[in-house]
């Protein structure tokens, strides 16, 4: 399994929306609705913000939303805030013997 | 679910190492516990995962044979072990927990253990 492909960085001004893509294959993103997204600040562990393509765990703001089309999943951050500046990783399930394929990571920059 | 990891390690190539991740007995009876490595060049990589209740394990083929995952449910602790460290094993290792259902994401994370392998 190869890492899922994400853009290295995306940027936006406060209040704007940004979308991060996560491209896999028909064996992972395309096959299962088990795509998750993690937010990570420098020196901290990742935090789950989206599970099962589009579900937000309790406490995650509605500004974060997820979707999927074919082999590509997406994370959209609406109403960008300075606190959203962090690294974001997607992760897909590729079967019981390879349950986690992570993306390459995307740095979100708030201008 | 709270996961408490052991402290940073500085080792030489060829040495052995065992790092730990402590949760609760309840966590270990219901969750799968995994290890994820983070390096500056490779981002996040899943290493291995185990269900402590019955010792079912899964290894990332890239790490299989290089590391061993284990657990002691009686004390709610999981381990990741190396018999022969290499410089390429350097990184931050996170333990993480997920629910029993296949396809579940890691929803609990430890703070990470920095492993540095250098001569």
């Amino acid at each position: 399994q190869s890492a899922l492909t994400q853009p290295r960085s995306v940027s936006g001004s406060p209040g704007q929306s940004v979308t991060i893509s996560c491209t896999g294959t028909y064996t992972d993103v395309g096959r299962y609705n088990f795509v998750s997204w993690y937010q990570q600040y420098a020196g901290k562990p990742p935090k789950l913000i989206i599970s099962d393509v589009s579900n937000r765990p309790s406490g995650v703001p509605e500004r974060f939303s997820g979707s999927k089309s074919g082999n590509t999943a997406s994370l959209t951050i609406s109403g960008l805030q300075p606190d959203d500046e962090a690294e974001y990783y997607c992760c897909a399930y590729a079967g019981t013997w390879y349950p986690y394929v992570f993306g390459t990571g995307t740095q979100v920059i708030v201008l | 679910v709270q996961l408490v990891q052991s402290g940073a390690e500085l080792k030489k190539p060829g040495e052995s190492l065992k790092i730990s991740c402590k949760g609760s007995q309840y966590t270990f009876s219901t969750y799968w516990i995994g290890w994820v490595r983070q390096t500056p060049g490779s981002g996040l990589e899943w290493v291995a995962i185990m269900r402590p209740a019955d010792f079912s394990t899964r290894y990332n083929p890239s790490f299989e044979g290089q590391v061993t995952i284990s657990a002691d449910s009686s004390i709610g602790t999981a381990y990741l072990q190396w018999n022969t460290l290499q410089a390429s094993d350097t990184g931050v290792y996170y333990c993480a927990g997920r629910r029993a259902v296949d396809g579940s994401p890691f929803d609990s994370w430890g703070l990470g253990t920095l492993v540095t392998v250098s001569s």
Side-chain angles (χ1 to χ4, degrees):
Chain A
Q1 290 288 340
S2 298
L4 310 176
T5 302
Q6 298 180 233
R8 295 201 64 156
S9 66
V10 298
S11 62
S13 299
Q16 290 186 329
S17 294
V18 295
T19 296
I20 303 168
S21 61
C22 168
T23 302
T25 70
Y26 67 94
T27 63
D28 40 58
V29 176
R31 185 168 184 177
Y32 305 98
N33 286 325
F34 295 134
V35 177
S36 52
W37 290 88
Y38 298 88
Q39 177 191 59
Q40 186 180 33
Y41 294 109
K44 302 292 186 183
K47 174 190 172 185
L48 179 67
I49 58 172
I50 294 287
S51 65
D52 301 339
V53 175
S54 60
N55 291 338
R56 278 187 311 277
S58 175
V60 175
E62 292 182 9
R63 305 185 292 103
F64 293 91
S65 62
S67 62
K68 190 187 87 166
S69 177
N71 297 335
T72 299
S74 300
L75 173 72
T76 298
I77 309 173
S78 305
L80 201 60
Q81 296 184 3
D83 193 42
D84 297 332
E85 190 160 288
E87 191 85 11
Y88 292 81
Y89 291 91
C90 62
C91 183
Y93 176 79
T96 189
W97 292 98
Y98 208 107
Y100 301 100
V101 184
F102 283 98
T104 51
T106 298
Q107 178 70 38
V108 169
I109 299 167
V110 181
L111 302 171
Chain B
V1 174
Q2 189 172 11
L3 300 171
V4 180
Q5 298 188 231
S6 51
E9 300 277 359
L10 174 59
K11 292 288 188 178
K12 290 181 167 47
E15 292 186 332
S16 63
L17 175 64
K18 192 173 189 177
I19 60 176
S20 66
C21 168
K22 183 166 175 58
S24 67
Q25 285 185 300
Y26 171 76
T27 299
F28 276 60
S29 67
T30 57
Y31 265 56
W32 286 69
I33 302 296
W35 291 92
V36 176
R37 183 175 79 176
Q38 185 164 35
T39 58
S42 300
L44 296 172
E45 299 173 277
W46 163 64
V47 176
I49 192 168
M50 166 179 272
R51 181 166 55 193
D54 64 2
F55 303 108
S56 295
T57 58
R58 309 281 188 267
Y59 285 94
N60 181 331
S62 297
F63 293 89
E64 192 158 19
Q66 312 304 313
V67 298
T68 302
I69 188 172
S70 62
D72 185 341
S73 296
S74 67
I75 58 173
T77 301
Y79 305 95
L80 189 66
Q81 180 177 358
W82 294 259
N83 290 331
T84 307
L85 284 162
Q86 305 175 48
S88 57
D89 294 319
T90 294
V92 176
Y93 290 81
Y94 292 102
C95 72
R98 72 145 223 232
R99 299 181 191 276
V101 176
D102 231 10
S104 297
F106 286 126
D107 57 13
S108 303
W109 293 71
L111 295 181
T113 295
L114 174 62
V115 174
T116 304
V117 184
S118 174
S119 55

